[in-house]
Amino acid sequence: MGKGNSGVIKQILKDHFDGFWRMHSVRFPETYREDIKETVEKAIRCGTSDLGYARYECLGCEGESKPIFVCFTCKSRFCHKCGKKYTDDWSDKQQEMIFNVPHRHMVFTIPKELRNVFFQDRKKLKEHSC
C-alpha cells in the first residue's frame, strides 16, 4: 500500500474503485453517477501532477538551481485530505459565530423505510411544510 497512513484511503480507491463502480454504479441515481465517478477520480489524482502543478525555481542563485514542483490538490470535500481542510475551516468559522452558552448536539435521522425516497431525489431533503 501507500506510504504511511496518509495514502491508505487513496490506495484503496485506486485499487478497488473501478471494480466497485462496475458492479454497483447502477445502485446510484443516474443523475448523480457522472458526478460521483468524477469526484472519486479527482480524489485519486489529488496531489499528483495529473491535476497540474506549480514550478518554483530560484533564478538568482549561483550554480545550478533545482526546481521544486508543487502539485495541485482537488479541493473536493470528498477527498480525505482536502475534505479535512474544508471541515477544519468550516469548524473554525462556526466557532467564531457561536454564542458562549451550553449547547446540545442532536442528530435527526430518516426512517429506514423512507431513505430510498430521499436517495432517489435529494431535493426532497430541503422540502418542508409550514
Side-chain angles (χ1 to χ4, degrees):
M1 278 236 200
K3 300 176 197 172
N5 288 335
S6 64
V8 172
I9 294 171
K10 187 186 282 194
Q11 193 63 47
I12 290 169
L13 290 172
K14 278 182 183 177
D15 292 347
H16 302 287
F17 181 71
D18 284 337
F20 167 84
W21 195 246
R22 280 193 300 277
M23 290 174 59
H24 300 289
S25 65
V26 295
R27 297 177 68 192
F28 297 93
E30 192 170 347
T31 55
Y32 299 132
R33 289 181 198 157
E34 193 57 40
D35 289 336
I36 292 169
K37 188 170 190 249
E38 183 181 315
T39 299
V40 173
E41 288 172 350
K42 263 175 77 172
I44 290 171
R45 294 190 322 265
C46 184
T48 68
S49 60
D50 291 353
L51 296 179
Y53 57 87
R55 175 185 169 152
Y56 297 95
E57 185 173 6
C58 180
L59 301 176
C61 292
E62 290 185 24
E64 193 173 321
S65 63
K66 185 176 180 182
I68 304 288
F69 296 90
V70 179
C71 296
F72 297 147
T73 60
C74 67
K75 297 173 183 55
S76 168
R77 286 184 278 175
F78 172 76
C79 174
H80 74 285
K81 185 177 180 181
C82 297
K84 167 119 175 57
K85 181 179 178 348
Y86 175 87
T87 301
D88 289 346
D89 291 348
W90 179 86
S91 178
D92 291 344
K93 188 175 180 180
Q94 298 310 307
Q95 279 187 310
E96 292 172 8
M97 295 172 38
I98 206 161
F99 293 119
N100 188 15
V101 296
H103 286 80
R104 181 166 294 153
H105 178 82
M106 288 196 241
V107 177
F108 296 95
T109 61
I110 297 170
K112 187 176 184 178
E113 296 80 10
L114 296 175
R115 290 180 190 160
N116 200 40
V117 171
F118 294 104
F119 184 71
Q120 295 299 325
D121 187 359
R122 307 277 301 169
K123 290 178 185 166
K124 289 186 176 178
L125 288 170
K126 295 184 180 192
E127 290 179 10
H128 65 288
S129 60
C130 295

CSV table of all heavy atoms in Angstrom, one decimal, residues 65-106:
chain,number,residue,atom,x,y,z
A,65,SER,N,20.3,25.7,-10.2
A,65,SER,CA,19.2,25.7,-9.3
A,65,SER,C,18.3,24.5,-9.6
A,65,SER,O,18.2,24.0,-10.7
A,65,SER,CB,18.4,26.9,-9.4
A,65,SER,OG,17.8,27.0,-10.7
A,66,LYS,N,17.8,23.9,-8.5
A,66,LYS,CA,16.9,22.8,-8.7
A,66,LYS,C,15.5,23.2,-8.5
A,66,LYS,O,15.1,23.7,-7.4
A,66,LYS,CB,17.3,21.7,-7.6
A,66,LYS,CG,16.6,20.4,-7.7
A,66,LYS,CD,17.1,19.4,-6.7
A,66,LYS,CE,16.3,18.1,-6.9
A,66,LYS,NZ,16.7,17.1,-5.9
A,67,PRO,N,14.6,23.0,-9.5
A,67,PRO,CA,13.2,23.4,-9.4
A,67,PRO,C,12.5,22.5,-8.4
A,67,PRO,O,12.8,21.4,-8.2
A,67,PRO,CB,12.7,23.3,-10.8
A,67,PRO,CG,13.6,22.3,-11.5
A,67,PRO,CD,14.9,22.4,-10.8
A,68,ILE,N,11.5,23.2,-7.8
A,68,ILE,CA,10.6,22.5,-6.9
A,68,ILE,C,9.2,22.4,-7.5
A,68,ILE,O,8.7,23.5,-8.0
A,68,ILE,CB,10.5,23.2,-5.5
A,68,ILE,CG1,11.8,23.4,-4.9
A,68,ILE,CG2,9.5,22.5,-4.6
A,68,ILE,CD1,12.4,22.1,-4.3
A,69,PHE,N,8.6,21.3,-7.6
A,69,PHE,CA,7.2,21.2,-8.2
A,69,PHE,C,6.2,20.9,-7.0
A,69,PHE,O,6.4,20.0,-6.2
A,69,PHE,CB,7.2,20.0,-9.1
A,69,PHE,CG,8.1,20.2,-10.3
A,69,PHE,CD1,9.4,19.8,-10.3
A,69,PHE,CD2,7.7,20.9,-11.4
A,69,PHE,CE1,10.3,20.0,-11.4
A,69,PHE,CE2,8.5,21.1,-12.5
A,69,PHE,CZ,9.8,20.6,-12.5
A,70,VAL,N,5.2,21.7,-7.0
A,70,VAL,CA,4.1,21.6,-6.0
A,70,VAL,C,2.9,21.2,-6.8
A,70,VAL,O,2.3,22.0,-7.5
A,70,VAL,CB,3.9,22.9,-5.2
A,70,VAL,CG1,2.8,22.7,-4.2
A,70,VAL,CG2,5.2,23.3,-4.5
A,71,CYS,N,2.4,20.0,-6.5
A,71,CYS,CA,1.2,19.5,-7.3
A,71,CYS,C,-0.1,20.1,-6.7
A,71,CYS,O,-0.2,20.3,-5.5
A,71,CYS,CB,1.1,18.0,-7.2
A,71,CYS,SG,2.5,17.2,-8.0
A,72,PHE,N,-1.1,20.4,-7.6
A,72,PHE,CA,-2.3,21.0,-7.1
A,72,PHE,C,-3.2,19.9,-6.5
A,72,PHE,O,-3.0,18.7,-6.8
A,72,PHE,CB,-3.1,21.6,-8.3
A,72,PHE,CG,-2.4,22.7,-9.0
A,72,PHE,CD1,-2.5,22.9,-10.3
A,72,PHE,CD2,-1.6,23.6,-8.3
A,72,PHE,CE1,-1.9,24.0,-11.0
A,72,PHE,CE2,-0.9,24.7,-8.9
A,72,PHE,CZ,-1.1,24.8,-10.3
A,73,THR,N,-4.1,20.4,-5.6
A,73,THR,CA,-5.0,19.5,-4.9
A,73,THR,C,-6.3,19.5,-5.6
A,73,THR,O,-6.6,20.4,-6.4
A,73,THR,CB,-5.1,19.8,-3.4
A,73,THR,OG1,-5.7,21.1,-3.3
A,73,THR,CG2,-3.8,19.7,-2.7
A,74,CYS,N,-7.2,18.6,-5.3
A,74,CYS,CA,-8.5,18.5,-6.0
A,74,CYS,C,-9.6,19.5,-5.3
A,74,CYS,O,-10.6,19.8,-6.0
A,74,CYS,CB,-9.1,17.1,-5.9
A,74,CYS,SG,-9.5,16.5,-4.3
A,75,LYS,N,-9.4,19.9,-4.1
A,75,LYS,CA,-10.2,20.8,-3.4
A,75,LYS,C,-11.7,20.2,-3.2
A,75,LYS,O,-12.6,21.0,-3.1
A,75,LYS,CB,-10.3,22.2,-4.0
A,75,LYS,CG,-8.9,22.8,-4.0
A,75,LYS,CD,-8.9,24.1,-4.8
A,75,LYS,CE,-7.5,24.8,-4.9
A,75,LYS,NZ,-6.5,24.0,-5.3
A,76,SER,N,-11.8,18.9,-3.2
A,76,SER,CA,-13.1,18.3,-3.0
A,76,SER,C,-13.3,18.0,-1.6
A,76,SER,O,-12.4,17.5,-0.8
A,76,SER,CB,-13.1,17.0,-3.8
A,76,SER,OG,-14.2,16.2,-3.5
A,77,ARG,N,-14.6,18.1,-1.1
A,77,ARG,CA,-14.9,17.8,0.2
A,77,ARG,C,-14.9,16.3,0.4
A,77,ARG,O,-14.8,15.8,1.5
A,77,ARG,CB,-16.3,18.3,0.6
A,77,ARG,CG,-16.3,19.8,0.8
A,77,ARG,CD,-17.7,20.3,1.3
A,77,ARG,NE,-18.5,20.5,0.1
A,77,ARG,CZ,-19.8,20.8,0.1
A,77,ARG,NH1,-20.4,21.0,1.3
A,77,ARG,NH2,-20.5,20.9,-1.0
A,78,PHE,N,-15.0,15.5,-0.7
A,78,PHE,CA,-15.0,14.0,-0.6
A,78,PHE,C,-13.5,13.5,-0.3
A,78,PHE,O,-13.4,12.6,0.4
A,78,PHE,CB,-15.4,13.4,-1.9
A,78,PHE,CG,-15.2,11.9,-2.0
A,78,PHE,CD1,-16.1,11.1,-1.3
A,78,PHE,CD2,-14.2,11.4,-2.7
A,78,PHE,CE1,-15.9,9.7,-1.3
A,78,PHE,CE2,-14.0,10.0,-2.7
A,78,PHE,CZ,-14.9,9.2,-2.0
A,79,CYS,N,-12.5,14.2,-0.8
A,79,CYS,CA,-11.1,13.8,-0.6
A,79,CYS,C,-10.8,13.8,0.9
A,79,CYS,O,-11.1,14.7,1.6
A,79,CYS,CB,-10.3,14.8,-1.4
A,79,CYS,SG,-8.5,14.5,-1.2
A,80,HIS,N,-10.1,12.8,1.3
A,80,HIS,CA,-9.7,12.7,2.7
A,80,HIS,C,-8.8,13.8,3.1
A,80,HIS,O,-8.8,14.2,4.3
A,80,HIS,CB,-9.1,11.3,3.0
A,80,HIS,CG,-7.7,11.1,2.5
A,80,HIS,ND1,-7.5,10.9,1.2
A,80,HIS,CD2,-6.6,11.1,3.2
A,80,HIS,CE1,-6.2,10.8,1.0
A,80,HIS,NE2,-5.6,10.9,2.2
A,81,LYS,N,-8.0,14.3,2.2
A,81,LYS,CA,-7.0,15.4,2.6
A,81,LYS,C,-7.7,16.7,2.4
A,81,LYS,O,-7.7,17.5,3.4
A,81,LYS,CB,-5.8,15.3,1.6
A,81,LYS,CG,-4.7,16.2,2.0
A,81,LYS,CD,-3.5,16.0,1.0
A,81,LYS,CE,-2.4,17.0,1.3
A,81,LYS,NZ,-1.3,16.8,0.5
A,82,CYS,N,-8.3,17.0,1.3
A,82,CYS,CA,-8.9,18.3,1.1
A,82,CYS,C,-10.2,18.5,1.9
A,82,CYS,O,-10.5,19.6,2.4
A,82,CYS,CB,-9.3,18.5,-0.4
A,82,CYS,SG,-7.8,18.5,-1.5
A,83,GLY,N,-10.9,17.4,2.1
A,83,GLY,CA,-12.1,17.4,2.9
A,83,GLY,C,-11.8,17.8,4.3
A,83,GLY,O,-12.6,18.5,5.0
A,84,LYS,N,-10.7,17.3,4.9
A,84,LYS,CA,-10.4,17.6,6.2
A,84,LYS,C,-10.1,19.1,6.4
A,84,LYS,O,-10.5,19.7,7.3
A,84,LYS,CB,-9.1,16.8,6.6
A,84,LYS,CG,-8.5,17.3,7.9
A,84,LYS,CD,-8.5,16.2,9.0
A,84,LYS,CE,-7.7,16.6,10.2
A,84,LYS,NZ,-8.2,17.8,10.9
A,85,LYS,N,-9.4,19.7,5.4
A,85,LYS,CA,-9.1,21.1,5.5
A,85,LYS,C,-10.4,21.9,5.4
A,85,LYS,O,-10.7,22.8,6.1
A,85,LYS,CB,-8.2,21.5,4.3
A,85,LYS,CG,-7.9,23.0,4.3
A,85,LYS,CD,-6.9,23.4,3.2
A,85,LYS,CE,-6.6,24.8,3.2
A,85,LYS,NZ,-7.4,25.8,3.9
A,86,TYR,N,-11.3,21.5,4.5
A,86,TYR,CA,-12.6,22.1,4.4
A,86,TYR,C,-13.4,22.1,5.7
A,86,TYR,O,-13.9,23.1,6.2
A,86,TYR,CB,-13.4,21.5,3.2
A,86,TYR,CG,-14.8,22.0,3.1
A,86,TYR,CD1,-15.1,23.1,2.3
A,86,TYR,CD2,-15.9,21.4,3.8
A,86,TYR,CE1,-16.4,23.6,2.2
A,86,TYR,CE2,-17.2,21.9,3.7
A,86,TYR,CZ,-17.4,22.9,2.9
A,86,TYR,OH,-18.7,23.4,2.8
A,87,THR,N,-13.4,20.9,6.3
A,87,THR,CA,-14.1,20.7,7.6
A,87,THR,C,-13.5,21.5,8.7
A,87,THR,O,-14.2,22.2,9.5
A,87,THR,CB,-14.1,19.2,8.0
A,87,THR,OG1,-14.8,18.5,6.9
A,87,THR,CG2,-14.8,19.0,9.3
A,88,ASP,N,-12.2,21.5,8.8
A,88,ASP,CA,-11.5,22.3,9.8
A,88,ASP,C,-11.8,23.8,9.6
A,88,ASP,O,-12.0,24.5,10.6
A,88,ASP,CB,-10.0,22.1,9.7
A,88,ASP,CG,-9.6,20.7,10.2
A,88,ASP,OD1,-10.4,20.0,10.9
A,88,ASP,OD2,-8.4,20.3,10.0
A,89,ASP,N,-11.7,24.3,8.4
A,89,ASP,CA,-12.0,25.7,8.1
A,89,ASP,C,-13.5,26.1,8.5
A,89,ASP,O,-13.8,27.1,9.1
A,89,ASP,CB,-11.8,26.1,6.6
A,89,ASP,CG,-10.3,26.0,6.3
A,89,ASP,OD1,-9.5,26.0,7.2
A,89,ASP,OD2,-10.0,26.1,5.0
A,90,TRP,N,-14.4,25.2,8.1
A,90,TRP,CA,-15.8,25.4,8.4
A,90,TRP,C,-16.0,25.4,9.9
A,90,TRP,O,-16.7,26.3,10.5
A,90,TRP,CB,-16.7,24.3,7.8
A,90,TRP,CG,-18.1,24.4,8.1
A,90,TRP,CD1,-19.0,25.1,7.4
A,90,TRP,CD2,-18.8,23.8,9.2
A,90,TRP,NE1,-20.3,25.0,8.0
A,90,TRP,CE2,-20.2,24.2,9.1
A,90,TRP,CE3,-18.5,22.9,10.2
A,90,TRP,CZ2,-21.2,23.8,10.0
A,90,TRP,CZ3,-19.4,22.5,11.1
A,90,TRP,CH2,-20.8,22.9,11.0
A,91,SER,N,-15.4,24.5,10.6
A,91,SER,CA,-15.5,24.4,12.1
A,91,SER,C,-15.0,25.7,12.8
A,91,SER,O,-15.6,26.2,13.7
A,91,SER,CB,-14.7,23.2,12.6
A,91,SER,OG,-14.8,23.1,14.0
A,92,ASP,N,-13.8,26.2,12.3
A,92,ASP,CA,-13.3,27.4,12.9
A,92,ASP,C,-14.2,28.6,12.7
A,92,ASP,O,-14.4,29.4,13.6
A,92,ASP,CB,-11.9,27.7,12.2
A,92,ASP,CG,-10.8,26.7,12.6
A,92,ASP,OD1,-11.0,26.0,13.6
A,92,ASP,OD2,-9.8,26.7,11.9
A,93,LYS,N,-14.8,28.6,11.5
A,93,LYS,CA,-15.8,29.7,11.2
A,93,LYS,C,-17.0,29.6,12.1
A,93,LYS,O,-17.5,30.6,12.6
A,93,LYS,CB,-16.2,29.6,9.7
A,93,LYS,CG,-17.0,30.8,9.2
A,93,LYS,CD,-17.2,30.7,7.7
A,93,LYS,CE,-18.1,31.8,7.3
A,93,LYS,NZ,-18.3,31.7,5.8
A,94,GLN,N,-17.5,28.4,12.3
A,94,GLN,CA,-18.7,28.2,13.2
A,94,GLN,C,-18.3,28.6,14.6
A,94,GLN,O,-19.2,29.2,15.3
A,94,GLN,CB,-19.1,26.8,13.1
A,94,GLN,CG,-19.6,26.3,11.8
A,94,GLN,CD,-20.6,27.2,11.1
A,94,GLN,OE1,-21.6,27.6,11.7
A,94,GLN,NE2,-20.3,27.7,9.9
A,95,GLN,N,-17.1,28.3,15.1
A,95,GLN,CA,-16.8,28.6,16.5
A,95,GLN,C,-16.7,30.1,16.7
A,95,GLN,O,-17.1,30.6,17.8
A,95,GLN,CB,-15.4,28.0,16.8
A,95,GLN,CG,-15.5,26.6,17.2
A,95,GLN,CD,-14.2,26.1,17.7
A,95,GLN,OE1,-13.2,26.2,17.1
A,95,GLN,NE2,-14.2,25.4,18.8
A,96,GLU,N,-16.4,30.9,15.7
A,96,GLU,CA,-16.4,32.3,15.8
A,96,GLU,C,-17.8,32.9,15.9
A,96,GLU,O,-18.0,33.9,16.5
A,96,GLU,CB,-15.7,33.0,14.6
A,96,GLU,CG,-14.2,32.7,14.5
A,96,GLU,CD,-13.5,33.1,13.2
A,96,GLU,OE1,-14.2,33.8,12.4
A,96,GLU,OE2,-12.4,32.8,13.0
A,97,MET,N,-18.8,32.2,15.3
A,97,MET,CA,-20.1,32.7,15.2
A,97,MET,C,-21.0,32.2,16.4
A,97,MET,O,-22.0,32.8,16.7
A,97,MET,CB,-20.8,32.3,13.9
A,97,MET,CG,-20.1,32.9,12.7
A,97,MET,SD,-20.7,32.2,11.1
A,97,MET,CE,-22.4,31.9,11.4
A,98,ILE,N,-20.6,31.2,17.1
A,98,ILE,CA,-21.5,30.6,18.1
A,98,ILE,C,-21.4,31.3,19.4
A,98,ILE,O,-20.4,31.9,19.8
A,98,ILE,CB,-21.0,29.1,18.2
A,98,ILE,CG1,-22.2,28.3,18.7
A,98,ILE,CG2,-19.9,29.0,19.2
A,98,ILE,CD1,-22.0,26.8,18.5
A,99,PHE,N,-22.5,31.4,20.1
A,99,PHE,CA,-22.6,32.1,21.4
A,99,PHE,C,-21.9,31.2,22.4
A,99,PHE,O,-21.9,30.0,22.3
A,99,PHE,CB,-24.1,32.3,21.8
A,99,PHE,CG,-24.8,33.3,21.0
A,99,PHE,CD1,-25.9,32.9,20.2
A,99,PHE,CD2,-24.4,34.6,20.9
A,99,PHE,CE1,-26.6,33.8,19.4
A,99,PHE,CE2,-25.1,35.5,20.1
A,99,PHE,CZ,-26.2,35.1,19.4
A,100,ASN,N,-21.4,31.9,23.4
A,100,ASN,CA,-20.6,31.2,24.5
A,100,ASN,C,-21.7,30.7,25.6
A,100,ASN,O,-21.7,31.2,26.7
A,100,ASN,CB,-19.6,32.1,25.1
A,100,ASN,CG,-18.7,31.3,26.1
A,100,ASN,OD1,-18.7,30.1,26.1
A,100,ASN,ND2,-18.0,32.0,26.9
A,101,VAL,N,-22.5,29.7,25.2
A,101,VAL,CA,-23.5,29.2,26.1
A,101,VAL,C,-23.5,27.7,25.9
A,101,VAL,O,-23.0,27.2,24.9
A,101,VAL,CB,-24.9,29.7,25.7
A,101,VAL,CG1,-25.0,31.2,26.0
A,101,VAL,CG2,-25.3,29.4,24.3
A,102,PRO,N,-24.0,26.9,26.9
A,102,PRO,CA,-24.1,25.4,26.7
A,102,PRO,C,-24.9,25.1,25.4
A,102,PRO,O,-25.9,25.7,25.1
A,102,PRO,CB,-24.7,25.0,28.0
A,102,PRO,CG,-24.6,26.1,28.9
A,102,PRO,CD,-24.6,27.3,28.2
A,103,HIS,N,-24.4,24.1,24.7
A,103,HIS,CA,-25.1,23.6,23.5
A,103,HIS,C,-25.4,22.1,23.7
A,103,HIS,O,-24.7,21.4,24.4
A,103,HIS,CB,-24.2,23.8,22.3
A,103,HIS,CG,-24.1,25.2,21.9
A,103,HIS,ND1,-23.3,26.1,22.5
A,103,HIS,CD2,-24.7,25.9,20.9
A,103,HIS,CE1,-23.4,27.3,21.9
A,103,HIS,NE2,-24.3,27.2,20.9
A,104,ARG,N,-26.4,21.7,23.0
A,104,ARG,CA,-26.7,20.3,22.9
A,104,ARG,C,-26.7,19.9,21.4
A,104,ARG,O,-27.2,20.6,20.6
A,104,ARG,CB,-28.1,20.1,23.5
A,104,ARG,CG,-28.5,18.6,23.5
A,104,ARG,CD,-29.7,18.3,24.3
A,104,ARG,NE,-29.3,18.6,25.7
A,104,ARG,CZ,-30.2,19.0,26.6
A,104,ARG,NH1,-31.4,19.1,26.4
A,104,ARG,NH2,-29.8,19.2,27.9
A,105,HIS,N,-26.1,18.7,21.2
A,105,HIS,CA,-26.0,18.2,19.8
A,105,HIS,C,-27.1,17.2,19.6
A,105,HIS,O,-27.2,16.2,20.4
A,105,HIS,CB,-24.6,17.6,19.6
A,105,HIS,CG,-24.4,17.0,18.3
A,105,HIS,ND1,-24.1,17.8,17.2
A,105,HIS,CD2,-24.5,15.7,17.8
A,105,HIS,CE1,-24.0,17.0,16.1
A,105,HIS,NE2,-24.2,15.7,16.5
A,106,MET,N,-27.8,17.3,18.6
A,106,MET,CA,-28.9,16.3,18.2
A,106,MET,C,-28.7,15.9,16.8
A,106,MET,O,-28.3,16.7,16.0
A,106,MET,CB,-30.3,16.9,18.4
A,106,MET,CG,-30.7,17.2,19.8
A,106,MET,SD,-32.4,17.4,19.9
A,106,MET,CE,-32.5,19.0,20.5
